[in-house]
Amino acid sequence: MINISLRQLEYFAAAAQHGGAARAAEALSVSQPSISKAIADLEALWGETLFVRRHARGLELTAAGQMRHRETHALLERARALEGPRTDEEAGLLRVGCLATLAPRHLPAMLLRMRERHPRVEIEVHEADTESLLQMLERGALDAALLYDMGLARPVRLEAVTAFVPYALLPAGHALAARSSLPLAALAQEPFILIDLPHSREYFLSLFRQAGVAPRIAHASPSIEMVRSLVANGLGVSLLTTRPVRDWSYDGKRLACRRLRGPLAAQSVVMAYPERLGAANPRAALFARVVRECFTQQRDAMTAPEAS
């Protein structure tokens, strides 16, 4: 038996959107106690505090509330879609690109959910590096692409879907693995394995520059699994942003992942579209919704930005 209602979720989402029960009640033309009761019932059901009250600022979502709000928003969007008839937007071809380092970890679950939810959408997948994906978008060969936003000054339209922070990758028995977090300066003293993809390599090298140190590059590879195996075999340390579910290399050796210490901006993951809005594929919006839902469910404590 389902112990939650769409109305409760709608009231919770409105309180989050408007920053208070009174303003949410006014927007929905319901009573304020109805909003407050829905929030209290959800907090009791989930065992989580969804809001904190800030003086002169109203209600503010907690970290748990932010996660529940993303899940709620996705569910309400799907419920609204079910209210209407199916349209031609759910039939036809969608050409999707995905960054090679993101694809194996995240894309299969997204494709499965699209097949289950929108079976009439035919998806053509292209896995490549950032530069190749951008070029395909620019010439109209892709309808959408999932990649990292690395300050891309290109004629494409970007839409943020989630964010990750980079982490240190070490051999399981390495001395630095005894620490819970590491400064970049510590990694700069070790042989470094660089992920050698356009834009990606510049991003990771820029982290060292910002910390005022330089890595000692021992090996470089365009393959995330090659980087992981080189590290697991004790040939160096590395930095990555995408993290597979298990900390084992492709050749069966253990790895250690550690948080980085110091100010590190979160790396935004975006859906990128051709710049001309008139050429947008309506099925891309359906895919973007699935992408957000899957990222919400695939959150990893190592790569999740710390709550402010």
Side-chain angles (χ1 to χ4, degrees):
M1 179 178 178
I2 298 176
N3 296 315
I4 197 170
S5 71
L6 289 175
R7 189 171 301 280
Q8 286 175 308
L9 297 177
E10 187 177 20
Y11 288 178
F12 163 50
Q17 177 183 352
H18 296 285
R23 290 190 290 271
E26 182 179 355
L28 295 178
S29 299
V30 298
S31 68
Q32 181 175 340
S34 298
I35 302 289
S36 299
K37 185 177 187 306
I39 294 171
D41 288 346
L42 289 175
E43 288 182 327
L45 178 65
W46 290 330
E48 298 171 337
T49 300
L50 301 176
F51 293 99
V52 292
R53 180 171 294 281
R54 301 295 188 191
H55 180 64
R57 288 194 294 175
L59 296 178
E60 189 173 295
L61 286 168
T62 62
Q66 291 174 4
M67 184 174 295
R68 290 294 186 180
H69 182 247
R70 286 192 292 269
E71 296 169 341
T72 293
H73 177 74
L75 182 57
L76 290 174
E77 285 292 302
R78 180 59 183 156
R80 293 186 185 102
L82 287 173
E83 289 181 330
R86 285 187 179 270
T87 68
D88 288 340
E89 293 182 359
E90 294 198 16
L93 178 65
L94 175 65
R95 300 165 303 168
V96 171
C98 189
L99 182 63
T101 56
L102 282 170
R105 169 67 180 92
H106 299 286
L107 189 59
M110 296 167 182
L111 296 177
L112 175 60
R113 186 166 300 194
M114 279 294 293
R115 188 181 70 182
E116 292 172 345
R117 188 171 296 176
H118 308 291
R120 296 194 295 164
V121 175
E122 178 188 352
I123 300 181
E124 179 182 292
V125 175
H126 299 268
E127 186 181 350
D129 60 71
T130 300
E131 183 60 28
S132 298
L133 293 174
L134 290 172
Q135 291 178 11
M136 293 179 74
L137 285 168
E138 289 170 354
R139 66 175 184 263
L142 290 177
D143 300 305
L146 184 64
L147 41 80
Y148 288 112
D149 178 8
M150 297 179 180
L152 306 173
R154 303 289 284 271
V156 294
R157 183 167 53 94
L158 303 180
E159 181 181 292
V161 290
T162 192
F164 298 140
V165 292
Y167 63 92
L169 186 69
L170 309 162
H174 198 283
L176 292 177
R179 306 186 195 180
S180 60
S181 63
L182 300 168
L184 280 167
L187 297 182
Q189 299 174 20
E190 304 289 331
F192 189 75
I193 314 297
L194 178 67
I195 184 77
D196 193 14
L197 288 169
H199 298 281
S200 296
R201 59 174 169 257
E202 287 84 0
Y203 165 69
F204 287 113
L205 291 175
S206 74
L207 296 178
F208 285 102
R209 288 195 296 270
Q210 291 166 14
V213 294
R216 295 165 43 206
I217 298 175
H219 299 279
S221 172
S223 164
I224 188 172
E225 285 302 336
M226 184 62 174
V227 168
R228 283 164 50 80
S229 288
L230 289 169
V231 171
N233 280 274
L235 295 171
V237 302
S238 190
L239 291 178
L240 290 176
T241 308
T242 304
R243 185 187 181 198
V245 173
R246 301 191 185 282
D247 295 330
W248 291 84
S249 67
Y250 201 75
D251 60 347
K253 293 183 172 62
R254 288 292 304 270
L255 287 156
C257 300
R258 296 294 180 265
R259 275 269 190 178
L260 292 174
R261 195 182 308 152
L264 288 169
Q267 183 64 58
S268 180
V269 180
V270 297
M271 289 290 293
Y273 308 95
E275 190 175 44
R276 290 181 298 123
L277 296 179
N281 186 321
R283 288 167 290 282
L286 303 177
F287 182 67
R289 187 177 303 149
V290 165
V291 166
R292 289 192 183 86
E293 292 175 12
C294 288
F295 273 130
T296 296
Q297 296 173 357
Q298 295 171 355
R299 287 179 67 84
D300 170 35
M302 183 65 61
T303 58
E306 292 183 351
S308 56

